[in-house]
Amino acid sequence: MKIIRTLIIIFILTYATTNSLAQDGELAPSFTLNDYTELAQTITKGAKSPYDKCKAIYVWLTENITYDPNCIGNTADLCYNMKRGTSNGFSDFFYHLANIVGVPSSIVTGNYKDFKGMAKHVHVWIAADVGRKNPILIDAALGSGFFKNKTFVRSATMQWFDVDPYKMIFTHMPHSLRFQLVGDQVLYSQFEALTAFEPGMFSNGAKASDVLSKSLNGTFEVPNIYSGYDNFLRLREFPLTKKLHIGTTYTFELEKLADNEIYIVNNVIDPSKKWTCDGKVCRMSFMPTRAGKLTLCVKTNGKYAVVLAYEVPTASQQELTKAANTDPYSLPEVQSRVNVNRALLEKHGVDGKKLVALINSGVVGDTLPIINPADGLDFTIVDVPMTYHLKPNKSYRFCIKPMAGAQYAVVANGRIWFKDWQTNSDGSIWLNATTPPSGASMSLFIKPAGAKSFMSCMSYTLK
């Protein structure tokens, strides 16, 4: 019993002595009973620089230790033995592993907040010296995952490794000013007022120092961010501005936590805009085309819940020109037409810019011709009437690049056939087909090589 008491006293004295070495705003490392030499060397095997060693340790911690802010795992030993730990435990464990492989670091104390507000207790992270002017900031606890309905979800991410200090300050307020690592001191009251953007939420075009400066002086306008979405998705990247402009493409990235449909709505839902997903992580590049509202929505229980809301101002002529050059098929004047099937129009060579020009010139009415999605009809449109309603007693030009071995005809009312096609030097064929004085329809027919009959590929009405 005396031996046990002696060991406890030695442990307490050693821990107290070690703690006394800590500077203001940081925690001293714990006294460890475990020898982590072999583990540290295994984790960092092949890593030559201090930076790469830190990265290897971070990855191992985020993939093998569960973040649990309510457990007793607040030291390296407890964290290792329980395979779970608090932010203190993660940071203490990181410190010892890094120290073994020759990378000095500090265990930083401070406050952390997310979109739900301030944390109720102190948070802990790492400032590691990798040979740069300033240490790099690391939070392996947050990097291991997040909480959904108070349950930890492992989702290892690199966004909390080597965090730009100008991004870190939006969520982490160190107790010591020397760990802010930003140009001007941020006061605690200012930190409380900042929107809690995570590092990964900054789009590639957003400069964090500018966002911070404008946020502090009250000139930075953020989108409306609604609560209650965190059971369905996790925001990873989105435009950090209140207004989005027609003609500019923006990136949205999120992690789906449930099998819910997610849309970006610019007054209407554009079905041609699809998310590109890699597992649960989904990404979309989106260009606003309509003035008004743009929202990111999740569909739940048959209703649409707004996650993000932006304003889209009326476009200038320069922005309209930019939009027309970037994605003409998305423009309202195109989408508002009946029979707009982007996939089929693009498949058959209809250039979006040319279509917009035809619409603006008044050549195209409110309805486009019907293109029938028949297999094997892979013709290319050069110049055909792009309005569904044709007028009797008027000649229309049909010019296409034909399929090899196919036969073509323009048929009016199902009984008047025009087959006198002419050939251009570029291999395209054309004819001037005169519509009859009265009738109900006119169609472009194709008979592919080897087929027994003609098939209708484009349909019009006579009006």
Side-chain angles (χ1 to χ4, degrees), residues 24-286:
D24 180 46
E26 63 179 298
L27 289 178
S30 67
F31 174 82
T32 61
L33 297 176
N34 296 330
D35 182 357
Y36 297 111
T37 302
E38 183 178 353
L39 177 62
Q41 292 175 345
T42 300
I43 291 173
T44 60
K45 184 178 181 180
K48 299 186 181 302
S49 68
Y51 184 88
D52 289 340
K53 291 176 182 179
C54 286
K55 188 175 183 179
I57 293 170
Y58 173 90
V59 170
W60 187 88
L61 286 172
T62 58
E63 293 180 349
N64 291 276
I65 306 298
T66 296
Y67 178 37
D68 186 350
N70 299 313
C71 76
I72 61 172
N74 60 353
T75 66
D77 283 348
L78 290 172
C79 201
Y80 176 74
N81 295 335
M82 300 169 61
K83 296 297 182 289
R84 63 195 311 110
T86 63
S87 63
N88 191 351
F90 268 82
S91 299
D92 189 52
F93 202 176
F94 187 104
Y95 173 92
H96 285 290
L97 292 171
N99 186 59
I100 289 170
V101 294
V103 182
S105 57
S106 299
I107 304 175
V108 183
T109 65
N111 286 89
Y112 164 76
K113 68 173 182 178
D114 58 16
F115 279 115
K116 295 182 179 179
M118 296 295 300
K120 295 181 179 179
H121 49 76
V122 171
H123 192 73
V124 183
W125 59 98
I126 284 288
D129 183 1
V130 295
R132 298 179 179 177
K133 179 181 178 180
N134 292 318
I136 62 172
L137 302 177
I138 300 166
D139 192 335
L142 294 182
S144 64
F146 55 93
F147 289 88
K148 177 185 176 183
N149 292 330
K150 298 182 179 181
T151 300
F152 177 79
V153 178
R154 185 172 301 284
S155 179
T157 171
M158 294 304 297
Q159 75 162 331
W160 293 108
F161 176 78
D162 187 15
V163 185
D164 181 345
Y166 286 94
K167 295 180 180 180
M168 194 75 157
I169 198 64
F170 281 89
T171 53
H172 291 63
M173 182 66 176
H175 290 156
S176 174
L177 294 178
R178 63 194 176 96
F179 290 118
Q180 285 193 11
L181 304 178
V182 295
D184 297 321
Q185 174 187 345
V186 177
L187 302 177
Y188 191 82
S189 58
Q190 293 175 311
F191 170 70
E192 286 185 301
L194 291 174
T195 303
F197 296 126
E198 292 185 357
M201 292 178 178
F202 288 78
S203 61
N204 293 332
K207 189 176 180 180
S209 58
D210 291 341
V211 175
L212 177 61
S213 176
K214 291 179 180 179
S215 296
L216 294 177
N217 63 31
T219 60
F220 184 67
E221 296 182 322
V222 300
N224 290 326
I225 305 171
Y226 294 85
S227 60
Y229 66 84
D230 47 329
N231 286 331
F232 306 102
L233 61 90
R234 187 183 186 204
L235 294 170
R236 292 169 64 104
E237 180 180 339
F238 58 92
L240 298 183
T241 180
K242 188 173 185 177
K243 296 179 180 179
L244 304 183
H245 294 274
I246 291 172
T248 300
T249 301
Y250 300 90
T251 298
F252 294 82
E253 184 176 284
L254 53 88
E255 183 173 358
K256 295 184 70 172
L257 306 182
D259 190 23
N260 294 81
E261 295 178 69
I262 302 169
Y263 300 95
I264 294 178
V265 183
N266 185 194
N267 295 344
V268 297
I269 295 176
D270 184 350
S272 69
K273 297 297 184 181
K274 305 291 185 182
W275 293 92
T276 300
C277 296
D278 182 7
K280 294 183 178 180
V281 176
C282 297
R283 191 176 182 88
M284 182 190 293
S285 295
F286 192 96

Side-chain angles (χ1 to χ4, degrees), residues 4-16:
I4 295 175
R5 287 179 180 175
T6 301
L7 289 174
I8 292 174
I9 292 171
I10 292 173
F11 174 81
I12 293 173
L13 289 175
T14 304
Y15 185 78

Side-chain angles (χ1 to χ4, degrees), residues 254-327:
L254 53 88
E255 183 173 358
K256 295 184 70 172
L257 306 182
D259 190 23
N260 294 81
E261 295 178 69
I262 302 169
Y263 300 95
I264 294 178
V265 183
N266 185 194
N267 295 344
V268 297
I269 295 176
D270 184 350
S272 69
K273 297 297 184 181
K274 305 291 185 182
W275 293 92
T276 300
C277 296
D278 182 7
K280 294 183 178 180
V281 176
C282 297
R283 191 176 182 88
M284 182 190 293
S285 295
F286 192 96
M287 182 187 72
T289 56
R290 296 170 173 83
K293 296 290 184 183
L294 186 145
T295 57
L296 174 69
C297 300
V298 57
K299 189 176 182 181
T300 173
N301 297 323
K303 298 181 179 180
Y304 294 92
V306 177
V307 177
L308 298 170
Y310 298 87
E311 298 175 9
V312 181
T314 301
S316 65
Q317 186 57 51
Q318 183 179 5
E319 289 174 334
L320 289 174
T321 301
K322 186 177 179 181
N325 290 330
T326 302
D327 189 4

Side-chain angles (χ1 to χ4, degrees), residues 376-379 400 403 406-409 444-448 451 453-457:
L377 300 182
D378 296 327
F379 64 98
I400 59 176
M403 299 158 41
Q407 299 179 45
Y408 297 85
L444 173 64
F445 275 77
I446 298 179
K447 183 181 179 183
S453 59
F454 280 83
M455 294 183 288
S456 172
C457 58

